[in-house]
């Protein structure tokens, strides 16, 4: 992964006033509704200006009506970051809460260490806007699904880089464990001693080699999971995902899949699933929701 840098708005304005062409720089400039964008055409290889006020969930809903209308440029930011890294360019964000939240999301996606980096370094100066973080992280995940001209996996390092087949095996084992858990609730078998209730599963999502899209979401049933486990082996699975209850983000959920790893998809999950279905060319749905 290339470098992520935070520049003060004053420094970016100085570059705008006296441009020095920096071929390997991409600058993403965030400004509030009471501020103006900058013109950096002569100052860097590529730039993007994004108006985005640093506000919370309640104010977003009051002002915009829906969270979808806030930070609508997150997909453009994700696209620009991935292209910059693929072309070996450094990415510069504004040194403010929005820029720091984007930097944390990018580092989390490419290395798996963005949140820990934020807690150890950035939180001394900046407040993490979790909605900005999650929207950008989600769009980076979507870019990975959609992009066919850049090998995004080759740009990822650390915990963000994983073995797909290994994760299929992990989620398959987790489904079997959840099946045993559901049986125990029905009184048919003993509760597994090593079952971890800290992040309880409430959804499984899969594409199998027969091109069926499987979505088991919300209330899980033992017979549904048993039918899947009886019909499909790990080798029959092309894509696998699981969702957990989790209190560490705005939406109370954590998502993990074999396409992007850990994810913070929030309200964008259904759109992400449509991309997964399109990528794997599914022809049939098996939905229990």
């Amino acid at each position: 992964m290339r470098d992520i840098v935070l520049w003060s708005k004053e420094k970016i304005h100085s570059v705008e006033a006296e441009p020095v062409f920096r071929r390997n720089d991409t600058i993403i400039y965030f400004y509030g509704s009471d501020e103006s964008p900058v013109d950096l055409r002569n100052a860097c290889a590529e730039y993007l200006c994004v108006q985005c006020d640093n506000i919370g969930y309640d104010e977003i809903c009051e002002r915009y009506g829906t969270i979808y209308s806030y930070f609508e440029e997150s997909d453009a930011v994700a696209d620009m970051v991935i292209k910059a890294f693929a072309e070996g360019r450094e990415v510069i964000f504004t040194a403010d809460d929005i820029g720091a939240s984007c930097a944390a999301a990018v580092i989390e996606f490419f290395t798996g260490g963005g949140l820990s980096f934020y807690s150890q370094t950035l939180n001394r100066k900046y407040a993490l806007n979790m909605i900005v973080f999650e929207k950008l992280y989600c769009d980076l995940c979507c870019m990975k699904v959609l992009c066919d001209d850049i090998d995004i996996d080759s740009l990822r390092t650390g915990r963000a880089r994983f073995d797909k087949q290994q994760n299929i095996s992990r989620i398959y084992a987790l489904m079997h464990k959840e099946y045993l858990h559901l049986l125990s609730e029905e009184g048919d078998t003993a509760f597994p001693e090593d079952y971890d209730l800290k992040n309880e599963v409430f959804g499984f999502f899969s594409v199998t080699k027969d091109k069926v899209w499987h979505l088991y979401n919300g209330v899980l049933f033992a017979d549904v999971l048993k039918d899947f486990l009886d019909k499909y082996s790990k080798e029959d699975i092309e894509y696998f995902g699981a969702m957990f209850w989790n209190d560490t983000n705005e939406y109370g959920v954590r998502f993990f899949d074999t396409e992007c790893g850990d994810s913070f998809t929030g309200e964008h999950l259904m759109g992400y699933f449509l991309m997964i279905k399109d990528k794997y060319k599914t022809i049939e749905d098996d939905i229990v929701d």
Side-chain angles (χ1 to χ4, degrees):
M1 189 189 88
R2 298 292 298 178
D3 289 336
I4 295 286
V5 181
L6 297 181
W7 275 11
S8 68
K9 290 184 177 179
E10 290 74 19
K11 184 172 182 177
I12 294 175
H13 282 297
S14 71
V15 172
E16 178 187 24
E18 299 181 16
V20 178
F21 190 73
R22 296 168 56 89
R23 183 171 299 275
N24 287 327
D25 282 356
T26 290
I27 298 177
I28 301 175
Y29 180 85
F30 295 101
Y31 64 101
S33 54
D34 58 344
E35 299 174 304
S36 300
V38 293
D39 183 355
L40 300 171
R41 284 174 293 179
N42 299 317
C44 58
E46 192 173 30
Y47 81 100
L48 177 67
C49 292
V50 179
Q51 182 179 313
C52 185
D53 289 321
N54 185 35
I55 55 180
Y57 185 84
D58 291 341
E59 189 172 349
I60 288 172
C61 293
E62 182 179 341
R63 187 185 299 188
Y64 295 96
T66 171
I67 197 170
Y68 290 109
S69 299
Y70 176 69
F71 189 27
E72 290 183 306
E73 298 84 355
S74 59
D75 57 344
V77 173
D79 181 59
M80 185 169 284
V81 167
I82 287 174
K83 288 180 178 177
F85 285 169
E87 295 171 9
R89 292 201 301 272
E90 186 176 79
V91 175
I92 298 169
F93 289 112
T94 45
D96 54 19
D97 293 343
I98 301 295
S101 301
C102 287
V106 172
I107 296 170
E108 183 70 26
F109 178 79
F110 282 100
T111 73
L115 287 175
S116 59
F117 176 76
Y118 170 82
S119 64
Q120 294 168 13
T121 307
L122 297 180
N123 70 340
R124 299 170 188 171
K125 290 184 177 181
Y126 311 108
L128 183 67
N129 185 316
M130 201 63 191
I131 295 174
V132 167
F133 175 96
E134 290 179 356
K135 289 195 75 169
L136 180 53
Y137 191 99
C138 175
D139 279 315
L140 288 166
C141 291
C142 292
M143 279 291 296
K144 183 181 181 301
V145 175
L146 293 173
C147 188
D148 55 9
D149 59 343
I150 298 175
D151 182 5
I152 295 175
D153 277 331
S154 68
L155 302 174
R156 304 179 86 187
T157 61
R159 291 193 300 109
R161 198 164 190 172
F162 57 83
D163 182 270
K164 181 176 179 178
Q165 290 304 316
Q166 187 178 63
N167 280 347
I168 285 177
S169 296
R170 288 174 61 193
I171 299 175
Y172 192 88
L174 181 65
M175 179 183 277
H176 185 263
K177 191 174 285 189
E178 181 66 17
Y179 162 64
L180 295 178
H181 172 208
L182 293 170
L183 281 183
S184 73
E185 290 187 330
E186 297 171 4
D188 293 332
T189 190
F191 192 92
E193 291 183 2
D194 61 345
Y195 189 83
D196 182 9
L197 286 173
K198 184 177 181 181
N199 286 315
E200 187 174 359
V201 184
F202 73 94
F204 287 103
F205 319 93
S206 180
V207 177
T208 43
K209 288 183 178 179
D210 54 5
K211 299 303 178 185
V212 177
W213 165 247
H214 308 269
L215 187 153
Y216 310 141
N217 191 33
V219 179
L220 296 174
F221 299 97
D223 59 340
V224 173
L225 299 189
K226 184 178 186 301
D227 288 345
F228 182 92
L229 294 167
D230 287 345
K231 184 173 183 179
Y232 300 105
S233 68
K234 291 178 289 185
E235 291 71 27
D236 295 321
I237 297 170
E238 294 187 339
Y239 166 84
F240 223 161
M243 189 178 292
F244 311 82
W245 295 116
N246 189 285
D247 60 1
T248 61
N249 62 53
E250 190 76 37
Y251 305 99
V253 299
R254 171 177 166 252
F255 181 70
F256 180 84
D257 76 348
T258 55
E259 193 69 28
C260 294
D262 274 304
S263 188
F264 303 84
T265 54
E267 295 185 13
H268 299 274
L269 189 57
M270 292 301 109
Y272 178 74
F273 283 161
L274 290 175
M275 296 177 192
I276 292 291
K277 292 179 66 177
D278 183 65
K279 176 175 181 175
Y280 289 94
K281 309 300 181 187
T282 61
I283 58 175
E284 185 181 338
D285 288 348
D286 167 29
I287 296 177
V288 181
D289 193 359

